[in-house]
Amino acid sequence: MRATIFVLFTLLLTSCTPQPISVGFIGGLSGFNSDLGISGRNGALLAIDAINKAGGIRGRTLRLIIRDDKQDPEVARKVFQELTAEKVVAIIGPMTSGIAHALIPLANKVAIPLISPTASSPDFSGLDDYFIRLTTPNTTEAHELARESVTRGALKPCIIDDLSNQSFARPLGDAYTAEYRRLMASQQQNASVVRYPFDPKDETSTATVLRALEQYQPDIVLFTTNSMDTALLAQQIRRRGFTMPYLGTGWAMSQALIENGGQAVEGMIFTVPFNPQSEKPAWREFSALYRETYGKEADFGAGQSWLAVQTLAEGLKRCGSKKLKQSILEKQFEGLQVSIYIDAYGDPIIPFQRLVIQNGELVRMDHE
């Protein structure tokens, strides 16, 4: 009898305990260029933990279900289906534009929001879909990099065009080229931009790019490659005796780039919606927590994923899982460094920063 009462009491307690809200995470967590995905996962986990410690969402905790897309569109589609089977209310991710291109149609079909911390291709802008992102389309980044090139007097710019993530690299290269030409034309100068394709899966690609650079002799180089490929290419180019300035993108801007690129990436310039030296209390607290938890410095991907989870949480507080997308669009959110506004199409409005790698650190550049 006592055993029966105990079982019934246990069942009663279980039935009264609110079930966790399941949230998915998709990012590249393995392979050559997994630093962005790992940072994103880490930032998301810290945000989930902070929200749960504060009481969760209306008394319900958040449960993060993590999947590795292995930076492969087919794998990404498979793990997306796994997460929908887990009844997730939304998915944090993916971290790259190439994977986003594969997943957006699936998200639209099942009406589950994808909240990407870092995917920046303009191909996804202005669409009424289930894709929400927290970094601006990379056309803004490209325009700022073009202005940097003109300011530095570059007459023979060159783009190393990553073929493995064309959803990101192609529009960025197009926007950079168009803006550079426009700015030069305003100075009554004709100018062109040379683009050299780089395929990280082709063992001969690096040598092909190096031969092309030796022939063209560019005076500034823009890398659209990931952190590891950028680091390795930057080293190879410097070993050939080139001293021209380097331009990088938010995709490559990580601690892995600095650690693996070493002296070769000193002076590399970025124009991104992020400042690693921000003195905002929220960023300082997050950075300290990240360092204490993971033994490394917080970066762009980590901070953006924290914000993605917080944005989702705010949406859930407003309306629960119903009409979640609408509860996020056209709203203001407080980020770790600045406030951001998500427009009607899921794109944010964020101010940009100019950063440079200096003495092994990302440092904000004062406007000249």
Side-chain angles (χ1 to χ4, degrees):
M1 182 65 177
R2 289 181 179 176
T4 302
I5 293 174
F6 177 77
V7 170
L8 290 173
F9 182 69
T10 302
L11 290 172
L12 181 62
L13 285 177
T14 302
S15 65
C16 293
T17 302
Q19 292 297 307
I21 299 172
S22 295
V23 178
F25 174 87
I26 293 179
L29 304 176
S30 59
F32 183 63
N33 185 47
S34 58
D35 57 308
L36 181 62
I38 290 171
S39 291
R41 177 203 62 194
N42 293 349
L45 284 170
L46 290 181
I48 292 283
D49 185 56
I51 291 166
N52 288 342
K53 286 179 178 177
I57 308 297
R58 299 177 182 175
R60 297 176 65 186
T61 59
L62 296 179
R63 176 174 70 118
L64 191 66
I65 305 173
I66 299 168
R67 292 291 185 271
D68 180 6
D69 63 35
K70 299 185 179 179
Q71 303 166 75
D72 182 317
E74 286 305 315
V75 173
R77 293 186 186 99
K78 178 177 179 293
V79 297
F80 180 93
Q81 299 293 355
E82 291 176 2
L83 290 175
T84 58
E86 294 274 0
K87 306 297 183 183
V88 297
V89 297
I91 293 172
I92 305 301
M95 303 296 288
T96 63
S97 296
I99 300 300
H101 191 272
L103 295 186
I104 290 173
L106 302 183
N108 291 339
K109 187 175 180 179
V110 297
I112 293 179
L114 288 173
I115 306 177
S116 174
T118 51
S120 63
S121 171
D123 292 348
F124 313 134
S125 298
L127 301 175
D128 183 11
D129 55 17
Y130 279 82
F131 182 68
I132 299 167
R133 56 169 154 201
L134 301 179
T135 191
T136 54
N138 63 25
T139 48
T140 304
E141 182 179 9
H143 289 169
E144 293 297 326
L145 291 169
R147 293 188 187 100
E148 187 71 31
S149 301
V150 172
T151 299
R152 289 176 172 272
L155 300 176
K156 298 177 67 179
C158 163
I159 300 173
I160 297 180
D161 189 15
D162 192 326
L163 299 182
S164 70
N165 190 11
Q166 279 288 283
S167 293
F168 169 81
R170 175 189 48 76
L172 187 144
D174 290 346
Y176 172 90
T177 299
E179 181 67 4
Y180 174 79
R181 287 174 174 170
R182 186 190 70 79
L183 291 170
M184 294 298 283
S186 71
Q187 300 178 6
Q188 288 76 50
Q189 295 189 64
N190 292 323
S192 61
V193 179
V194 171
R195 295 166 75 160
Y196 295 121
F198 173 76
D199 183 356
K201 296 180 180 179
D202 182 352
E203 294 181 356
T204 67
S205 195
T206 297
T208 300
V209 168
L210 291 172
R211 285 195 296 270
L213 293 178
E214 288 174 347
Q215 181 175 3
Y216 182 62
Q217 295 290 311
D219 53 12
I220 199 165
V221 174
L222 166 58
F223 297 85
T224 67
T225 42
N226 62 46
S227 59
M228 290 297 293
D229 286 326
T230 299
L232 297 176
L233 284 165
Q235 288 180 334
Q236 291 289 335
I237 293 169
R238 290 289 186 244
R239 286 172 186 157
R240 296 300 192 281
F242 288 106
T243 59
M244 81 288 276
Y246 286 158
L247 304 176
T249 70
W251 187 27
M253 191 187 66
S254 71
Q255 192 62 32
L257 169 67
I258 296 172
E259 290 173 357
N260 291 282
Q263 191 62 34
V265 298
E266 277 286 307
M268 182 175 282
I269 299 163
F270 307 84
T271 57
V272 290
F274 171 73
N275 177 13
Q277 296 181 321
S278 171
E279 292 300 327
K280 294 291 184 179
W283 173 252
R284 292 291 104 191
E285 291 173 13
F286 173 75
S287 296
L289 177 61
Y290 193 93
R291 191 182 308 113
E292 178 185 347
T293 305
Y294 299 111
K296 58 179 69 174
E297 296 300 316
D299 59 14
F300 181 59
Q304 289 295 99
S305 286
W306 168 282
L307 178 56
V309 173
Q310 297 291 345
T311 300
L312 169 62
E314 288 297 317
L316 289 169
K317 288 175 185 177
R318 290 191 182 110
C319 70
S321 59
K322 294 181 179 180
K323 297 184 178 180
L324 179 55
K325 167 189 164 184
Q326 288 76 13
S327 72
I328 295 174
L329 299 182
E330 298 184 278
K331 303 291 191 305
Q332 194 86 16
F333 296 91
E334 193 61 39
L336 291 168
Q337 297 187 0
V338 296
S339 295
I340 71 168
Y341 176 79
I342 307 294
D343 71 15
Y345 298 107
D347 284 325
I349 299 172
I350 315 173
F352 266 59
Q353 309 278 351
R354 294 166 70 234
L355 305 178
V356 62
I357 297 176
Q358 192 174 88
N359 298 320
E361 294 184 342
L362 278 165
V363 179
R364 182 180 177 185
M365 300 170 66
D366 293 328
H367 288 278
E368 298 172 356

